[in-house]
Amino acid sequence: MKKIAIIAVAAATLASCTSKKAESSLSPADQLRQRLESTVNDKKVLFGHHDDPVYGHEWAWEEGRSDVLATTGEYPAVMSWDLGALELDSVKNLDGVPFVRMIAEVKAQDARGGINTFSWHLWDPLTNLDSWQTGDSLVVSRMVNTPEGIATYNTQLDKLADFFLSLKRDNGERIGVIFRPWHEHTGSWFWWGRNLCSTDDYKKLWTIMRENFDRHGVDNVLWAYSPDRCDTAEKYMERYPGDEYVDILGADVYHFGGEDGTEGYVRDASSTLDVAVAEAASRGKIAAFTETGCESLVIPDWYTRVLLPIIGKHPVAYVTVWRNAHDKPQHFYAPYPGHPAESDFKEFHNNPTTIFVK
Ligand code: BMA
């Protein structure tokens, strides 16, 4: 209830400072930008979970179910999705989520006052290798520098642009969403990673994408840049495509190694978010903790003891944890009913700073 009250007050404040005319002239992306900015100004943080309402720990594809809902009574305020395989004309994404269902859930999340964000674990358009195939270090170079590569990349982008344009409310208004392409590029586990392409070629992935989306008239996307752990601004900004291409400065940092890994996680998440927050502030952008988590929640009070202090020190609009796989029992990042981390997660949910939605 309290969370709904917060959203209602925020909405009323926004409505009172913005005339109806000015509001309707804002693009869906700019409306979402305002929402995220006011979240940060109010010192709140939206909680997010990947694929939350379509499957969870040991269940899949039921409607209305969610591990976060089952443990807290509310849905995550941010639903995270992945578009991988849309570019192949597949009806399901790389983790088996039907795109038709994803679109329905995006609408449902918007209707309950929540937000949607998308990543893209795509297949290499020229050789059809998945995102994790790093044996060929010329993939990006061919994609952005050869006529065949650019044409094939644009064919993929046409499909993504059409997908984003199709995200509409019942009244026909487009739904503002976040898109976070080419993520974790400061590591080298995806074929667009740091050791697999030049800085210039990485930036071209963004510029070609943006030109394509602009040609399609996509006006409902905020762009998130999300490096993996980086302890200096120099590393973080090395491949930043430019202020005109980015709205949200993120960080993808996971907690590995259980309790032994706590110190390293807190250090790396803090140093990366220090940079994201400082760069966002100096550029008029929004900072976010775009991906994190402690797999299996081997630390039962991880949410309140480890994560909450980090986000308390870093003004981020949202924090997103990765998925609760239905077919890999140890691969989950939010607790499910009966898990030892459940009561701590309820406490995290009840903290006055965290936002979930009904
Ligand atoms: C990884 C794992 C994989 C999944 C991929 C894309 O972190 O969760 O099982 O296929 O993300 O969602």
Side-chain angles (χ1 to χ4, degrees):
M1 282 308 255
K2 123 201 113 113
K3 317 269 169 167
I4 289 298
I6 289 162
I7 290 168
V9 170
T13 315
L14 185 65
S16 68
C17 348
T18 327
S19 76
K20 273 225 151 20
K21 190 156 178 268
E23 207 169 88
S24 63
S25 66
L26 283 181
S27 69
D30 283 333
Q31 290 175 35
L32 177 55
R33 187 197 318 281
Q34 284 198 343
R35 167 91 187 275
L36 296 174
E37 283 169 354
S38 51
T39 303
V40 175
N41 291 339
D42 293 346
K43 301 191 169 33
K44 306 284 183 204
V45 60
L46 301 148
F47 175 76
H49 187 212
H50 191 71
D51 282 350
D52 179 86
V54 291
Y55 59 77
H57 183 73
E58 296 185 336
W59 64 271
W61 320 126
E62 287 165 46
E63 307 240 346
R65 192 166 169 185
S66 144
D67 286 344
V68 169
L69 177 70
T71 50
T72 68
E74 292 190 296
Y75 286 101
V78 177
M79 295 293 185
S80 162
W81 307 103
D82 197 276
L83 296 177
L86 185 70
E87 74 283 357
L88 305 177
D89 294 320
S90 169
V91 295
K92 295 178 179 180
N93 84 349
L94 79 168
D95 294 316
V97 182
F99 287 109
V100 169
R101 174 77 187 271
M102 192 186 289
I103 292 169
E105 294 291 351
V106 166
K107 280 182 70 172
Q109 176 68 354
D110 174 69
R112 61 173 82 96
I115 289 170
N116 295 278
T117 178
F118 295 84
S119 51
W120 188 27
H121 287 93
L122 72 163
W123 272 256
D124 155 15
L126 295 173
T127 57
N128 219 18
L129 297 171
D130 72 33
S131 295
W132 291 267
Q133 302 303 315
T134 53
D136 180 350
S137 61
L138 292 174
V139 174
V140 175
S141 173
R142 284 194 297 266
M143 254 173 96
V144 300
N145 294 315
T146 68
E148 186 209 355
I150 295 169
T152 315
Y153 182 30
N154 268 304
T155 306
Q156 291 189 328
L157 294 173
D158 290 345
K159 295 172 193 172
L160 265 70
D162 285 345
F163 175 89
F164 285 118
L165 286 171
S166 77
L167 302 175
K168 289 183 184 163
R169 299 182 176 133
D170 287 342
N171 66 6
E173 282 171 16
R174 268 199 278 279
I175 300 172
V177 298
I178 299 162
F179 185 30
R180 188 170 65 88
W182 310 121
H183 64 304
E184 298 174 14
H185 63 287
T186 50
S188 295
W189 44 87
F190 298 133
W191 49 253
W192 57 88
R194 191 169 185 277
N195 295 340
L196 293 128
C197 67
S198 70
T199 298
D200 281 352
D201 287 350
Y202 177 79
K203 290 182 183 177
K204 284 186 203 167
L205 289 171
W206 281 81
T207 52
I208 294 171
M209 179 177 256
R210 184 55 172 272
E211 281 161 17
N212 182 294
F213 276 39
D214 286 350
R215 276 199 300 279
H216 283 85
V218 176
D219 63 354
N220 58 328
V221 165
L222 286 183
W223 299 85
Y225 172 77
S226 61
D228 198 73
R229 60 193 71 214
C230 287
D231 55 1
T232 65
E234 200 187 355
K235 284 187 209 160
Y236 185 96
M237 296 303 286
E238 186 197 29
R239 295 180 172 215
Y240 183 68
D243 284 344
E244 62 278 41
Y245 297 98
V246 174
D247 303 289
I248 296 169
L249 297 181
D252 285 22
V253 182
Y254 280 84
H255 187 148
F256 297 112
E259 203 59 87
D260 290 347
T262 301
E263 199 185 318
Y265 170 71
V266 171
R267 182 195 59 226
D268 292 351
S270 301
S271 59
T272 313
L273 288 171
D274 282 345
V275 177
V277 165
E279 292 292 338
S282 73
R283 293 159 196 277
K285 308 284 181 193
I286 298 155
F289 202 173
T290 38
E291 252 191 69
T292 189
C294 174
E295 193 178 34
S296 295
L297 288 164
V298 288
I299 301 176
D301 57 353
W302 183 79
Y303 274 95
T304 62
R305 181 164 61 87
V306 183
L307 180 63
L308 203 52
I310 296 172
I311 54 184
K313 289 186 195 119
H314 296 91
V316 290
Y318 60 95
V319 55
T320 304
V321 300
W322 205 240
R323 64 199 198 106
N324 284 15
H326 58 92
D327 51 357
K328 296 181 187 173
Q330 306 309 317
H331 193 47
F332 63 89
Y333 295 87
Y336 49 84
H339 185 275
E342 188 183 1
S343 62
D344 180 71
F345 189 56
K346 283 183 183 158
E347 219 181 288
F348 175 82
H349 163 267
N350 291 337
N351 185 282
T353 62
T354 58
I355 300 180
F356 291 67
V357 292
K358 280 279 182 237

